[in-house]
Amino acid sequence: MASEIVAEHNHEARRSRGFLGAVRELALILVVALLLSFLVKTFVFRTFFIPSESMEPTLQVSDQVAVGILGFSPEQLSRGDVVVFRDDHQWLPQLPSQPHTPLTSALQFVGLAPENADQYLVKRVIGLPGDTVSCDGDGGPVLINGQPIEEPYLEAGVLPSTMAFEVTVPEHELWVMGDNRTDSADSRFHRAENGGFIDESSVVGRAQVIFWPIDRWGAPS
């Protein structure tokens, strides 16, 4: 009888050790996964959601995009790139802070949830440093250094700009515009703030992939 009790006790002990071992292994896997996600967010790419219609049809409201930051440098930017940048010149109106649960904040911190878009904007690079960018506002094309540019990302019938402008982009600055030209408070509408230009240093990176919703997977063109 004593040997049976000892055997049962040993069986229970082994089962308990097995359960605790499985819990420790699961916890280790979770910690490693969170660490990898944080490192990816810090060094490879960040994710953002699109809060407005200013980039339609290229980007739709609630699209989630991955922005590549690995090896990114503003000198690599080209005309036509879709970029996410910090709102360093206060283009956005002051909005009441959105409530975030501790879980949401934690997921954003480690990169498992898109970041709050309140402090960031997404637009298309139109003018690079040294470019003279202009438009007559009467249906004519946008001109770069006097030459018209093609803008296949604009919806049919959308005018390149209903506002006339002519600017020369300073060094280390960019001129940006939304694809939804009739509903985009872009460089044209913020001439009072730094001439409408954004600092190259404000750019987080290029919007490389729409990853959510799944049926919109692909690169914004």
Side-chain angles (χ1 to χ4, degrees):
M1 177 67 71
S3 62
E4 292 178 356
I5 293 174
V6 170
E8 183 177 353
H9 174 75
N10 289 339
H11 176 71
E12 290 294 332
R14 285 195 299 272
R15 186 165 64 180
S16 176
R17 287 196 298 270
F19 173 74
L20 292 176
V23 170
R24 284 196 295 269
E25 184 175 348
L26 181 61
L28 178 60
I29 291 172
L30 179 60
V31 169
V32 170
L34 292 175
L35 177 60
L36 287 175
S37 179
F38 176 75
L39 292 174
V40 166
K41 172 200 170 183
T42 303
F43 299 109
V44 182
F45 67 84
R46 295 167 66 178
T47 59
F48 296 86
F49 68 88
I50 304 303
S52 74
E53 301 172 349
S54 69
M55 280 296 293
E56 289 184 350
T58 305
L59 297 173
Q60 306 288 332
V61 174
S62 297
D63 279 354
Q64 295 182 22
V65 297
V67 175
I69 61 175
L70 180 64
F72 171 75
S73 171
E75 288 75 19
Q76 301 168 350
L77 290 173
S78 301
R79 299 184 193 97
D81 285 346
V82 177
V83 295
V84 171
F85 57 96
R86 293 187 309 275
D87 184 28
D88 291 339
H89 295 295
Q90 287 77 54
W91 286 11
L92 295 171
Q94 292 295 318
L95 299 174
S97 58
Q98 299 297 315
H100 290 286
T101 66
L103 176 60
T104 299
S105 298
L107 291 176
Q108 289 177 341
F109 178 75
V110 299
L112 293 178
E115 296 188 48
N116 192 330
D118 291 350
Q119 299 174 354
Y120 297 89
L121 299 99
V122 56
K123 303 293 180 190
R124 191 179 295 273
V125 175
I126 301 298
L128 297 172
D131 285 343
T132 296
V133 189
S134 62
C135 187
D136 62 18
D138 291 327
V142 171
L143 306 179
I144 301 292
N145 302 322
Q147 299 299 314
I149 62 172
E150 295 184 4
E151 299 193 274
Y153 37 80
L154 300 184
E155 279 194 312
V158 172
L159 298 180
S161 179
T162 57
M163 177 184 295
F165 64 88
E166 181 173 346
V167 298
T168 298
V169 184
E171 188 177 5
H172 305 306
E173 306 284 345
L174 300 167
W175 179 268
V176 295
M177 298 171 71
D179 291 355
N180 187 358
R181 296 290 163 81
T182 59
D183 191 15
S184 176
D186 48 39
S187 288
R188 297 168 297 167
F189 292 86
H190 292 282
R191 304 287 297 279
E193 296 86 24
N194 197 44
F197 307 109
I198 67 165
D199 304 329
E200 287 181 332
S201 60
S202 299
V203 178
V204 176
R206 297 186 188 89
Q208 295 183 314
V209 177
I210 303 169
F211 67 89
W212 191 264
I214 294 298
D215 61 359
R216 286 188 40 76
W217 177 278
S221 56

